Amino acid sequence: MEKIKIGIIGAGRIGKIHADNLLQMPQVEVVAVSDLFAGPELEEWASQRNIPLVTKDSGAVIAHPDIDAVFICSSTDTHVPLIKQAAQAGKHIFCEKPVSMDIRQTREAVETAKQAGVKLQIGFNRRFDHNFKRISEHVQGGTIGTPHIVKITSRDPNPPHKDYIRVSGGIFMDMMIHDFDMARYVSGSEIDEVYAHGGVLIDPVFAEYGDIDTAIVTLKFACGAMGVIDNSRQAVYGYDQRVEVFGSKGAVAVTNDYPNSAEISTAEGVFRDKPLHFFLERYQEAYRAETRIFIACIREDQPVPVNGIDGLQAELAALAAKLSFMLQRPVKVTEAMELAEQHAVFI
Amino acid sequence: MEKIKIGIIGAGRIGKIHADNLLQMPQVEVVAVSDLFAGPELEEWASQRNIPLVTKDSGAVIAHPDIDAVFICSSTDTHVPLIKQAAQAGKHIFCEKPVSMDIRQTREAVETAKQAGVKLQIGFNRRFDHNFKRISEHVQGGTIGTPHIVKITSRDPNPPHKDYIRVSGGIFMDMMIHDFDMARYVSGSEIDEVYAHGGVLIDPVFAEYGDIDTAIVTLKFACGAMGVIDNSRQAVYGYDQRVEVFGSKGAVAVTNDYPNSAEISTAEGVFRDKPLHFFLERYQEAYRAETRIFIACIREDQPVPVNGIDGLQAELAALAAKLSFMLQRPVKVTEAMELAEQHAVFI
Amino acid sequence: MEKIKIGIIGAGRIGKIHADNLLQMPQVEVVAVSDLFAGPELEEWASQRNIPLVTKDSGAVIAHPDIDAVFICSSTDTHVPLIKQAAQAGKHIFCEKPVSMDIRQTREAVETAKQAGVKLQIGFNRRFDHNFKRISEHVQGGTIGTPHIVKITSRDPNPPHKDYIRVSGGIFMDMMIHDFDMARYVSGSEIDEVYAHGGVLIDPVFAEYGDIDTAIVTLKFACGAMGVIDNSRQAVYGYDQRVEVFGSKGAVAVTNDYPNSAEISTAEGVFRDKPLHFFLERYQEAYRAETRIFIACIREDQPVPVNGIDGLQAELAALAAKLSFMLQRPVKVTEAMELAEQHAVFI
Amino acid sequence: MEKIKIGIIGAGRIGKIHADNLLQMPQVEVVAVSDLFAGPELEEWASQRNIPLVTKDSGAVIAHPDIDAVFICSSTDTHVPLIKQAAQAGKHIFCEKPVSMDIRQTREAVETAKQAGVKLQIGFNRRFDHNFKRISEHVQGGTIGTPHIVKITSRDPNPPHKDYIRVSGGIFMDMMIHDFDMARYVSGSEIDEVYAHGGVLIDPVFAEYGDIDTAIVTLKFACGAMGVIDNSRQAVYGYDQRVEVFGSKGAVAVTNDYPNSAEISTAEGVFRDKPLHFFLERYQEAYRAETRIFIACIREDQPVPVNGIDGLQAELAALAAKLSFMLQRPVKVTEAMELAEQHAVFI
C-alpha cells in the first residue's frame, strides 16, 4: 500500500505534535516542513525524523509534487490564503482552528476547498477525546433521551503571554470557539442564540487589549435545548475540561483526567494530584486520533468528521457571543452572520 | 432551664417535619398546632406526640400565652398576615419560603417583624446542608481566593402536581428562589443582574399555567463574580443538587449525596444506586439543623442566620429573572425592585 | 398500641446511645437505667429524659415488673450472668458484643435464653449500616454470582486507653470480632478456618498486655470462598471501614463515609475532608436501626436478625484467630471449639 | 549521537509490543528479530518497520555484531540459556519474567550477566505504571510514615487457554510473581514469610494441571510490615489492579484505570464503563516506560531499576507461596531457597 505523503506548514508547537503523531503511522510519510523562521534548529529536528525538505516557503510545500495533504499550523491570518492555494493545488487540508477571524473569508476558503473536491478537516481536537466522545455516543445512542441542558466548563491553567492576547482574536474566538464546537458536537444541534457575560477578573492586561479573561455564555439550540459555557483564563489547579448533557431520560457527565488515581489519606485530610496540566497532556491521545482519522478519510475517500462548515459554525457562534457581550443582549447566530456579511473585517 | 414553647401553623408535610425535629430537642415543647383542615387524623398525630392543642384557627396559636415562637408552614398567601400578627403578638417567627409573591408585602412583613423586635428566620434549609455549608466555609476562609464563577445545579426528580403548578408562583419564585439564596450564601455577595433562559421541555402542562419547566439563569454579582443556575423540574435519576465556586486560588465543588457507597462491577459495567431521591431525604439533617439554630438564636438572643432581608433579596432575584425571561434581556435587581414598588401584585 | 418498656443496664457511652435512640421511638418507653456508678450525673441525665428509675442495682431493672426487655451495656464480664437472670425473668435481651470471652459460658447463656423463649439480639451494629447492608443485598440477590473472595478492612482512628487494652480480650475478641461477624454476614457462610498474622507496630503498650495492634487474618469459608480481614488500632485519617465481595459474576465494594462531598482544587492538589471519625459518627444510623429492629421483632414476635448463635460463631472465629496467632499455623474453628470446651477460661 | 541497536528474540505479542515501543524512540534502531516460527507474516511485519533481519535463529541475533542489547521475549524455558549466551556475547539484556522456574538456574543466569558486566533488566512492567509509581514515591517520600500493611489486588479478566495453563508454572509463578515484585517495590522491603490460601473456584481445568485459579497470600516483610495479595484468574468486569499501603502517618491507595470518566445517571441508577480490559490496555504506557528506561540506562551506563536480583527474589516468594499452599502452613523465603538449592527442578 502506497504511503500518504504529508507536508507540514508552520512548525510551532502544534505543527511539531502533528508531525510526530504522523510519523508514528506506518502508512504515512512526512516529506516537507515549512516555517517562516526555519533555521538550523528546525533542520536538526527534521533530520532526526528523516523529513527531507525544510523550507521557509509554504508555497514550496503546497507545490511539492509528492505531497497528498498539508497540515496548516501557521498563524491564523495565513490560514485562508493557504487553504485556497492548497485546494487549488488539489491537496487535502488539515487546518488548525479558527480558519480565520473573518466570517466572509472563512466561508470563501471553505467554499474553495469544496469546489476543488479536497478534504478540509478543522483541528477541533476535543471531539476525539475519549471522554467527550463517550458523551456524544450516549447522546446519539439515546441513553439520556432528548437533550435539555448542555453544560461545558473550559478553563485554562494560566493565561497566554500578552503578545498572544493581542492577536488572539479574543476569548470567544480563541478559546470558547472550542466549546461552541463541543456544544454542537455533544448536542447534535446547531446553536441558535447566545447571551454572553464576561469580565476581567484575573489580569488587567486583558483589558488593555480589549479582551476579557472570564466569561459565561448561555446558548439556545435549534433543537430546543439550552446550554451554558464557562471560560476562565486561569484555573490554578490545572486544565478544567468538563462536559455534561442532561436530558429527558438522564444525564451523562465527564470529569477531568488525572495523572494517576493515587489517593492519600492522612491526619490532615484526603489528597490527590491535580488534573492533567494543559491541552498537551490532556489531549495527547485526541491529537493522535484526529490525525489518524484524517489519514483514514483520505485513504478510504470518506468525508472528514469535522469539516469547514463546522469551523464556520463555531466562528459564527463566537462572533455572536462577542456581539452579545458588546451589546449586552442576546444575539442570534443569524444576526451575527448577517452583520459579518456586511463588514469585511469584523474583529 | 425553661423550655421554649412552639406553635406550628400549617400541618402539611413540612410542618410535621419541623414539629418532629423540634420534638427531638429536649429543651423545646410543641404546645399547639393549627391547620385549616384539622381533623381526627391530625388529632391522632398530635396526641402521639403529646401536643395538647389542635385547632383550625391559626389565631389561637398566635394568641396562645405560653407560646414563644411560631413556625409558619401554611400556604404562601397566608405568610404575610401571619407574620404581621405573630410579630405584633411578640412571637418569634420561623417562616417557610417564599415570604410572599409580592415584594411590597414581603417588605412590609419583614419591617413589621423588625419593628416588633422578634426574630424572623426564613426556611432556606439548604444553607444548613453539610455540603453547601462546607463550600461556604471554604469561600469565607479564603481557600479559593476571590470568587469568579458560581455554578448551581438544582433539579427536582419529578414535576409537582398540576394543582400545585397553578399556585406555585412559577419556576423562579417557587424553585429557583432556593438557588438565588444559595448563590448569595456561597458567594457572600448580592446579585446585581440576571439573564433568564427557559422553556417547556418536559410537560406542556407548565405552559397551560404560564410557567416553564427548564431554565438557565446567569448572574452578575455585586462583587464582580458571575454565576449560572440551571433548573429542571424532572431529573429522572433523582434530586440533583450541586454547587461549585471557582476563584482566583482554586475551586470548591460538591456532588450529590447517595444512599450508600456500594459500587457493583459486572461484565456489563460499573453501577451504583441513584442519588437520594428528593428534599426530604437529602435535606433531612439540614431541616434538623435549621430548627436547632433557630431555637438556639432565641435562647441566646442572637440574630438568626437567614433573616427577612435574605427572604426579600431572593424574591427580588426571582422577580428579576421572571422579568428577564419575559423581556428576553438582562434585568438588574434594582430594576425589578422599582417595578415591584409600582405594582401591588406583580405575579 | 401498648408501649414496649425497656430497662438499660450499664449507662456508659453505648448504653446512653441506645437509650436516646429508644427515646425517639414513639412506641417505646425507657423506664429504668442501672449503672454501678449511678450518681447525680446519671440522675440528671435520666430526669431530662423522663426515665423514672435510676439505680446501681441491675437486679432491680431485671426484676422490674413493667419491663419487657433489657439492654445489657455493662462490662463484658457481667454479660453472661445478666443474660441468664434476664432470661429467667422472661425479659427479651439486647446484649452488646462479645457475649463473653469464654465460649462455654457464651454457649450456656445463649442456651438459657433459648430455653426461656426470650429474644436475644447481639449488638453487631455494622450489619445495619447502609453500605454493608447493600453489599449483603447484592450478594444474596445474586448480582455478583458465587462469592469467591471477601475482603474486610477495619481500622480504628486511635488506640483505646491502656486500661481498656488490659481488659479488652485482645484485638481478635475485642475488635476483629465485628469483622468475623461481617464476614459471615456478607458471605452468607460459616467460617471454617483462619490463619492470623499480627504484630505490635503502633505502640509497645499492647505488648505489655500480651496484645497486638495490627493484624491480618485469612479465612476459609464453609462455602469454599476465601477471605481476608485487616485490622489496625490506629488509622490517623479516621475510621476505615470497607468491605468488598468478589464473585463469579462481579464484585461489590463500599468505601468509607465522609462528612461532606466538598472537593477543593488548588495549585497544590485536590483535597477533601477525612472520613467520619469513629463508630459514633459512622454508625449513628446503624445504632438506630438495630434498636428499631429489635423492638419490631418483639412487637411482631419475629426472630431477631442477629442472635446468640451469631454471637457465639464470631467468638469462635476470634478464638481460632488467637490460637492461630499463637501457634503460627492455620486453625479450624472446630479445633478452637473443642479446645474451648476443655478449658473453662481460655483467654 | 549513535543509535542503540536492538535485537528482539521471540516475536509473540509481547515481543512485538516492545519492538513497536522501541521503534518510536528516535535514538533506537531495531536491527533483528528472531522467532522459532518466523515466516512470511513476520517478514511482512518486520518489513513495514524497516527491521532488516528476520530469522528463526536466536543465536544469529545474539551474535549480530551491530547489536547492543537483546530483548528476550521467547518462552520461559529458553530464558536462562539465552541470558547466558547474550551475556557472554557482551550484550545487554531485557528479559521477560520469570527468568525461569528453577531458582538455581535463575541464580546462575543472573550471576553470568553480572560477571559479564552487562545490564539485565527484568520485565516487571507494573513498576512503571503511573499509579503504582505514585504509591512508591509517596512511601519513599515518607508521606504515610512507616508501612504497616500492604494490600494488593490482582485479578485477570479471563483465564488463559488451557495449553498455557499447562506450562504456566502455576498461579504463583506465572501471575502472582508480578504481585510479589509489587509488594517489594511499594514496601521497599524484602518478603520474609508467606502463607498461601487457594482453590479452584472458576474452572476445574486448573485442577487438571495441578493448578488453582484463586488465591490469597499473606506476607511478612523483613521491615515488620504485613501484606496480603489476592489473585483471581477471572474478574468478569475486567483487569483489577489495585494497591494500597497503610502506614503510621496515613495510607495511599490507587484504583483501576477506566477508558473514560463518563458517568451516566438514569432512572435505573448510575453507570460507568468497566475498567481497562487487560494488561495491554492498562500497561500500555508502562511498557513504553520500561523500554525507555532500559535504553537510557544503557546510554548513560546506569544500573537498571529492576535487575536480576529482583527477578530472583520474586521467584523465591512465588516458590515459598507454592510450598505454603502445598504444606498448608506459613513458609519462610529462606526455607524455600534452601529447598530450591537441593532440587535442580522444583516445579
Side-chain angles (χ1 to χ4, degrees):
Chain A
M1 191 166 47
E2 197 143 347
K3 293 198 175 189
I4 290 182
K5 297 189 184 60
I6 303 290
I8 306 284
I9 298 173
R13 190 167 50 177
I14 194 68
K16 284 175 174 162
I17 286 170
H18 289 317
D20 277 332
N21 289 336
L22 289 163
L23 286 164
Q24 287 178 17
M25 301 170 66
Q27 316 302 348
V28 172
E29 222 176 305
V30 179
V31 298
V33 57
S34 75
D35 194 280
L36 273 184
F37 305 101
E41 203 187 346
L42 187 60
E43 304 253 357
E44 164 71 14
W45 177 88
S47 120
Q48 283 173 355
R49 285 158 181 80
N50 296 321
I51 301 174
L53 177 63
V54 176
T55 172
K56 290 189 178 182
D57 176 17
S58 59
V61 175
I62 289 170
H64 194 302
D66 291 353
I67 283 178
D68 300 300
V70 294
F71 274 64
I72 301 177
C73 309
S74 46
S75 64
T76 301
D77 57 311
T78 66
H79 290 178
V80 166
L82 289 169
I83 289 174
K84 289 182 181 174
Q85 290 166 40
Q88 282 149 5
K91 313 296 188 185
H92 298 298
I93 303 158
F94 182 102
C95 183
E96 275 305 317
K97 62 91 231 173
V99 174
S100 82
M101 292 174 201
D102 178 335
I103 298 294
R104 290 204 300 193
Q105 290 202 22
T106 298
R107 190 193 301 282
E108 276 179 29
V110 171
E111 190 57 30
T112 308
K114 191 180 167 192
Q115 295 299 332
V118 299
K119 298 184 191 307
L120 170 59
Q121 183 169 325
I122 307 302
F124 285 129
N125 56 305
R126 296 182 193 176
R127 289 195 181 208
F128 304 93
D129 175 73
H130 53 160
N131 290 338
F132 303 137
K133 217 161 158 297
R134 199 73 182 111
I135 288 192
S136 173
E137 288 166 4
H138 277 294
V139 173
Q140 296 303 318
T143 315
I144 63 148
T146 308
H148 289 178
I149 297 174
V150 174
K151 295 180 78 173
I152 299 176
T153 295
S154 176
R155 302 170 189 155
D156 286 352
N158 30 53
H161 190 273
K162 70 177 189 171
D163 291 348
Y164 181 81
I165 297 170
R166 193 170 47 84
V167 300
S168 74
I171 197 167
F172 301 113
M173 192 60 91
D174 178 56
M175 185 172 171
M176 202 177 279
I177 194 169
H178 274 296
D179 306 305
F180 290 124
D181 183 63
M182 183 58 63
R184 294 177 65 244
Y185 174 58
V186 294
S187 70
S189 173
E190 292 299 338
I191 297 168
D192 189 47
E193 185 183 298
V194 302
Y195 171 70
H197 237 36
V200 177
L201 301 181
I202 297 162
D203 191 335
V205 73
F206 285 95
E208 283 175 38
Y209 295 108
D211 201 358
I212 54 177
D213 55 29
T214 307
I216 295 183
V217 171
T218 49
L219 312 170
K220 288 186 193 169
F221 291 93
C223 67
M226 305 164 209
V228 62
I229 299 167
D230 73 272
N231 271 190
S232 168
R233 285 287 194 182
Q234 184 176 277
V236 297
Y237 50 84
Y239 206 32
D240 197 345
Q241 300 277 296
R242 289 171 288 152
V243 173
E244 174 185 339
V245 184
F246 168 80
S248 58
K249 291 188 184 166
V252 53
V254 299
T255 63
N256 289 308
D257 281 353
Y258 292 82
N260 60 71
S261 69
E263 196 178 77
I264 322 298
S265 301
T266 74
E268 277 71 44
V270 179
F271 311 93
R272 66 177 306 182
D273 289 332
K274 290 187 289 182
L276 292 179
H277 182 61
F278 211 170
F279 61 97
L280 294 183
E281 291 84 12
R282 167 66 187 263
Y283 294 124
Q284 193 176 13
E285 274 299 317
Y287 283 122
R288 281 184 202 149
E290 70 175 354
T291 52
R292 262 200 312 270
I293 284 166
F294 177 62
I295 297 299
C297 289
I298 292 174
R299 184 172 302 286
E300 300 159 22
D301 196 16
Q302 291 293 317
V304 294
V306 207
N307 59 29
I309 300 299
D310 294 310
L312 186 66
Q313 289 301 123
E315 286 175 26
L316 280 169
L319 179 57
K322 180 151 187 175
L323 274 172
S324 169
F325 176 69
M326 294 189 309
L327 302 174
Q328 302 208 46
R329 63 165 175 82
V331 170
K332 285 200 175 292
V333 168
T334 51
E335 183 183 346
M337 186 159 49
E338 281 157 27
L339 207 78
E341 292 300 332
Q342 297 157 22
H343 304 271
V345 177
F346 173 73
I347 293 175
Chain B
M1 191 165 48
E2 197 142 348
K3 294 200 174 187
I4 290 182
K5 297 188 183 62
I6 303 289
I8 306 283
I9 300 173
R13 188 166 51 176
I14 195 69
K16 284 176 175 163
I17 285 171
H18 289 317
D20 277 331
N21 289 336
L22 289 163
L23 287 164
Q24 287 178 16
M25 300 170 66
Q27 315 302 348
V28 171
E29 223 176 302
V30 178
V31 297
V33 58
S34 75
D35 195 279
L36 274 184
F37 305 101
E41 202 187 348
L42 187 60
E43 304 253 357
E44 164 70 14
W45 177 88
S47 121
Q48 283 173 353
R49 285 157 181 80
N50 296 320
I51 301 174
L53 177 63
V54 176
T55 171
K56 291 189 178 183
D57 175 17
S58 59
V61 175
I62 288 170
H64 194 300
D66 291 352
I67 282 180
D68 300 298
V70 293
F71 274 64
I72 302 177
C73 310
S74 46
S75 63
T76 302
D77 57 310
T78 67
H79 290 179
V80 166
L82 289 169
I83 288 174
K84 289 182 181 172
Q85 290 167 39
Q88 282 151 5
K91 312 296 190 185
H92 299 298
I93 303 157
F94 181 102
C95 182
E96 275 305 317
K97 61 91 229 173
V99 174
S100 82
M101 292 175 202
D102 178 335
I103 299 294
R104 289 202 303 192
Q105 290 202 23
T106 298
R107 190 192 302 281
E108 276 179 29
V110 172
E111 191 57 32
T112 307
K114 192 181 166 191
Q115 295 298 334
V118 299
K119 298 184 192 306
L120 170 58
Q121 181 170 327
I122 308 302
F124 284 130
N125 56 307
R126 297 183 193 176
R127 289 195 181 210
F128 305 93
D129 174 72
H130 54 159
N131 290 338
F132 303 137
K133 217 162 158 295
R134 198 72 182 111
I135 288 192
S136 173
E137 288 166 5
H138 277 294
V139 173
Q140 297 302 320
T143 315
I144 63 147
T146 308
H148 290 178
I149 296 173
V150 174
K151 295 178 77 173
I152 298 176
T153 295
S154 177
R155 302 170 190 156
D156 286 351
N158 30 54
H161 191 272
K162 69 178 190 170
D163 292 347
Y164 181 81
I165 297 170
R166 193 170 49 83
V167 300
S168 73
I171 197 167
F172 301 114
M173 192 61 91
D174 178 55
M175 185 173 171
M176 203 179 278
I177 194 168
H178 274 296
D179 305 304
F180 290 123
D181 183 63
M182 183 57 64
R184 294 177 66 242
Y185 173 59
V186 295
S187 70
S189 173
E190 291 298 338
I191 297 167
D192 190 48
E193 186 183 298
V194 302
Y195 172 70
H197 237 38
V200 177
L201 302 181
I202 298 163
D203 191 337
V205 73
F206 285 94
E208 283 175 38
Y209 295 107
D211 200 359
I212 54 177
D213 54 30
T214 308
I216 295 184
V217 171
T218 51
L219 312 170
K220 288 186 191 170
F221 291 93
C223 68
M226 305 163 208
V228 63
I229 298 167
D230 73 271
N231 270 190
S232 169
R233 285 287 194 184
Q234 184 176 277
V236 295
Y237 49 84
Y239 207 31
D240 196 345
Q241 300 277 299
R242 289 172 288 151
V243 173
E244 174 185 341
V245 185
F246 168 81
S248 58
K249 292 187 182 165
V252 53
V254 300
T255 62
N256 289 310
D257 281 352
Y258 292 82
N260 61 70
S261 68
E263 196 177 76
I264 322 298
S265 300
T266 73
E268 276 72 45
V270 179
F271 311 92
R272 66 177 306 183
D273 289 333
K274 291 186 290 180
L276 293 179
H277 182 62
F278 210 170
F279 62 96
L280 294 183
E281 293 84 11
R282 167 66 186 264
Y283 294 124
Q284 192 177 14
E285 272 301 314
Y287 283 121
R288 281 183 201 150
E290 70 174 356
T291 51
R292 263 200 310 271
I293 284 167
F294 177 63
I295 297 299
C297 288
I298 292 173
R299 183 172 302 286
E300 300 158 23
D301 195 15
Q302 292 292 319
V304 293
V306 208
N307 59 30
I309 301 298
D310 294 310
L312 186 64
Q313 289 301 123
E315 286 176 25
L316 280 168
L319 179 57
K322 178 147 188 180
L323 275 172
S324 170
F325 175 69
M326 293 188 310
L327 303 173
Q328 301 210 45
R329 64 165 173 82
V331 170
K332 286 201 175 292
V333 168
T334 50
E335 184 183 345
M337 186 159 49
E338 281 157 26
L339 208 79
E341 292 301 332
Q342 296 158 22
H343 304 271
V345 177
F346 174 72
I347 294 175
Chain C
M1 191 166 47
E2 197 142 346
K3 293 198 175 191
I4 290 182
K5 298 188 184 61
I6 303 289
I8 306 283
I9 298 172
R13 189 167 50 177
I14 195 69
K16 284 176 174 163
I17 286 170
H18 288 317
D20 277 332
N21 288 337
L22 289 163
L23 286 164
Q24 287 178 16
M25 300 170 65
Q27 315 303 349
V28 172
E29 223 176 303
V30 178
V31 298
V33 57
S34 76
D35 195 278
L36 273 184
F37 305 101
E41 202 186 347
L42 187 61
E43 304 253 356
E44 164 71 13
W45 177 89
S47 119
Q48 282 174 355
R49 285 158 179 80
N50 296 322
I51 301 174
L53 177 63
V54 176
T55 172
K56 290 188 180 185
D57 175 18
S58 59
V61 175
I62 289 170
H64 194 301
D66 291 353
I67 282 179
D68 300 298
V70 293
F71 274 64
I72 301 177
C73 310
S74 46
S75 63
T76 301
D77 57 310
T78 66
H79 290 179
V80 166
L82 289 169
I83 289 174
K84 289 182 180 172
Q85 290 166 39
Q88 282 150 5
K91 312 296 188 184
H92 299 298
I93 304 158
F94 181 103
C95 183
E96 275 305 317
K97 61 91 229 173
V99 174
S100 83
M101 293 175 202
D102 178 334
I103 298 293
R104 290 202 301 193
Q105 290 202 22
T106 297
R107 190 192 303 281
E108 276 178 30
V110 171
E111 191 57 30
T112 307
K114 192 181 166 191
Q115 296 298 334
V118 299
K119 299 186 191 303
L120 170 59
Q121 182 169 327
I122 307 302
F124 285 129
N125 56 306
R126 297 183 194 176
R127 289 195 181 208
F128 305 93
D129 175 71
H130 54 160
N131 290 338
F132 303 137
K133 218 161 159 296
R134 199 73 181 110
I135 288 191
S136 173
E137 288 165 5
H138 277 294
V139 173
Q140 297 304 319
T143 314
I144 63 147
T146 307
H148 290 178
I149 298 175
V150 173
K151 295 179 78 172
I152 299 176
T153 295
S154 177
R155 303 171 188 154
D156 286 352
N158 29 54
H161 190 273
K162 70 178 189 171
D163 291 348
Y164 181 81
I165 296 170
R166 192 170 48 83
V167 300
S168 73
I171 197 168
F172 301 113
M173 192 60 92
D174 178 55
M175 185 171 172
M176 202 177 279
I177 193 169
H178 274 296
D179 306 304
F180 290 123
D181 183 63
M182 183 58 63
R184 294 178 66 244
Y185 174 58
V186 295
S187 70
S189 172
E190 292 299 337
I191 297 168
D192 188 48
E193 184 183 298
V194 302
Y195 171 70
H197 238 37
V200 177
L201 301 181
I202 297 163
D203 191 335
V205 74
F206 284 96
E208 283 175 37
Y209 294 107
D211 201 358
I212 53 176
D213 54 30
T214 307
I216 295 184
V217 171
T218 51
L219 313 171
K220 288 186 193 170
F221 291 93
C223 67
M226 304 165 208
V228 62
I229 298 168
D230 72 272
N231 270 191
S232 168
R233 284 288 194 182
Q234 184 176 276
V236 297
Y237 50 84
Y239 206 33
D240 197 345
Q241 299 278 298
R242 289 171 287 152
V243 173
E244 174 186 339
V245 184
F246 168 81
S248 58
K249 291 188 182 165
V252 52
V254 299
T255 63
N256 289 308
D257 281 354
Y258 291 82
N260 60 69
S261 69
E263 195 178 76
I264 323 297
S265 301
T266 74
E268 276 72 44
V270 179
F271 312 92
R272 66 177 306 181
D273 290 332
K274 290 186 290 182
L276 292 178
H277 182 61
F278 211 169
F279 61 96
L280 294 183
E281 292 84 12
R282 166 66 186 263
Y283 294 124
Q284 194 177 13
E285 274 300 315
Y287 283 121
R288 280 184 203 150
E290 70 175 355
T291 51
R292 262 201 311 270
I293 284 167
F294 177 63
I295 296 300
C297 288
I298 292 173
R299 184 172 301 285
E300 299 158 23
D301 195 16
Q302 292 293 317
V304 294
V306 207
N307 59 28
I309 300 299
D310 294 309
L312 186 66
Q313 289 301 122
E315 286 175 27
L316 280 169
L319 179 57
K322 178 149 188 179
L323 274 172
S324 169
F325 175 69
M326 294 189 307
L327 302 174
Q328 301 210 45
R329 64 164 174 81
V331 170
K332 286 201 175 292
V333 169
T334 51
E335 183 183 346
M337 186 159 51
E338 281 158 26
L339 208 78
E341 292 301 332
Q342 297 157 23
H343 303 271
V345 177
F346 173 73
I347 293 176
Chain D
M1 191 164 50
E2 199 142 347
K3 294 199 172 187
I4 290 181
K5 297 189 184 60
I6 303 289
I8 307 284
I9 298 173
R13 189 167 51 176
I14 195 68
K16 284 177 175 163
I17 285 171
H18 288 317
D20 277 332
N21 289 336
L22 290 163
L23 286 165
Q24 286 178 15
M25 301 171 66
Q27 315 301 348
V28 171
E29 223 176 302
V30 178
V31 298
V33 57
S34 76
D35 195 278
L36 273 184
F37 305 101
E41 203 186 347
L42 187 60
E43 304 253 357
E44 164 72 13
W45 178 88
S47 122
Q48 282 172 354
R49 285 157 180 81
N50 296 320
I51 301 174
L53 177 64
V54 176
T55 172
K56 289 189 178 182
D57 176 16
S58 59
V61 174
I62 289 170
H64 194 300
D66 291 351
I67 281 179
D68 299 299
V70 294
F71 274 64
I72 301 177
C73 309
S74 45
S75 63
T76 300
D77 57 311
T78 66
H79 290 179
V80 166
L82 289 169
I83 289 175
K84 289 182 181 173
Q85 291 167 39
Q88 282 152 4
K91 312 297 189 185
H92 299 298
I93 303 158
F94 182 103
C95 182
E96 275 305 317
K97 62 91 228 174
V99 174
S100 82
M101 291 175 202
D102 178 336
I103 299 294
R104 289 203 302 193
Q105 290 202 23
T106 298
R107 190 193 303 282
E108 276 178 30
V110 171
E111 190 57 31
T112 307
K114 192 182 166 190
Q115 295 298 332
V118 300
K119 299 184 191 307
L120 170 59
Q121 182 170 326
I122 308 301
F124 284 131
N125 56 306
R126 296 183 194 176
R127 289 195 181 209
F128 304 93
D129 175 71
H130 54 161
N131 290 338
F132 303 137
K133 218 161 158 294
R134 198 73 182 111
I135 288 193
S136 173
E137 288 166 6
H138 277 294
V139 173
Q140 296 303 318
T143 313
I144 64 147
T146 307
H148 290 178
I149 297 173
V150 174
K151 294 179 78 173
I152 299 176
T153 296
S154 178
R155 302 170 189 154
D156 287 351
N158 30 54
H161 191 272
K162 69 177 190 172
D163 291 348
Y164 181 83
I165 297 171
R166 193 171 47 84
V167 299
S168 73
I171 197 167
F172 301 114
M173 192 59 92
D174 177 55
M175 185 172 172
M176 203 179 278
I177 193 168
H178 274 296
D179 306 304
F180 290 123
D181 183 63
M182 183 59 62
R184 294 177 66 243
Y185 173 59
V186 296
S187 69
S189 173
E190 291 299 338
I191 297 167
D192 190 47
E193 186 183 298
V194 303
Y195 172 70
H197 236 38
V200 177
L201 302 181
I202 298 163
D203 192 336
V205 73
F206 285 95
E208 283 175 36
Y209 295 106
D211 200 358
I212 54 177
D213 53 31
T214 308
I216 295 184
V217 171
T218 51
L219 312 170
K220 289 186 191 169
F221 291 93
C223 68
M226 305 163 207
V228 63
I229 298 168
D230 73 272
N231 270 189
S232 169
R233 286 287 193 183
Q234 184 175 279
V236 295
Y237 50 84
Y239 206 32
D240 196 345
Q241 300 277 296
R242 289 171 288 151
V243 173
E244 174 186 340
V245 184
F246 168 80
S248 59
K249 292 186 182 167
V252 54
V254 299
T255 62
N256 289 310
D257 282 352
Y258 291 82
N260 60 70
S261 68
E263 196 178 77
I264 322 297
S265 300
T266 73
E268 276 72 44
V270 180
F271 311 91
R272 65 177 307 182
D273 288 333
K274 291 186 290 181
L276 292 178
H277 182 62
F278 211 171
F279 62 95
L280 293 183
E281 292 84 12
R282 167 65 186 265
Y283 294 125
Q284 192 177 16
E285 272 301 314
Y287 282 122
R288 282 183 200 149
E290 69 175 357
T291 52
R292 264 200 309 272
I293 284 167
F294 177 62
I295 297 298
C297 288
I298 292 174
R299 183 172 302 286
E300 299 159 21
D301 194 15
Q302 292 292 319
V304 293
V306 208
N307 59 30
I309 301 298
D310 294 310
L312 186 64
Q313 290 301 124
E315 286 175 25
L316 281 168
L319 179 57
K322 178 148 187 177
L323 275 172
S324 169
F325 175 69
M326 294 188 310
L327 303 173
Q328 301 209 45
R329 65 164 173 83
V331 170
K332 286 201 176 291
V333 168
T334 50
E335 183 183 345
M337 185 159 50
E338 282 157 26
L339 208 77
E341 293 301 332
Q342 296 158 22
H343 304 271
V345 177
F346 174 72
I347 294 174

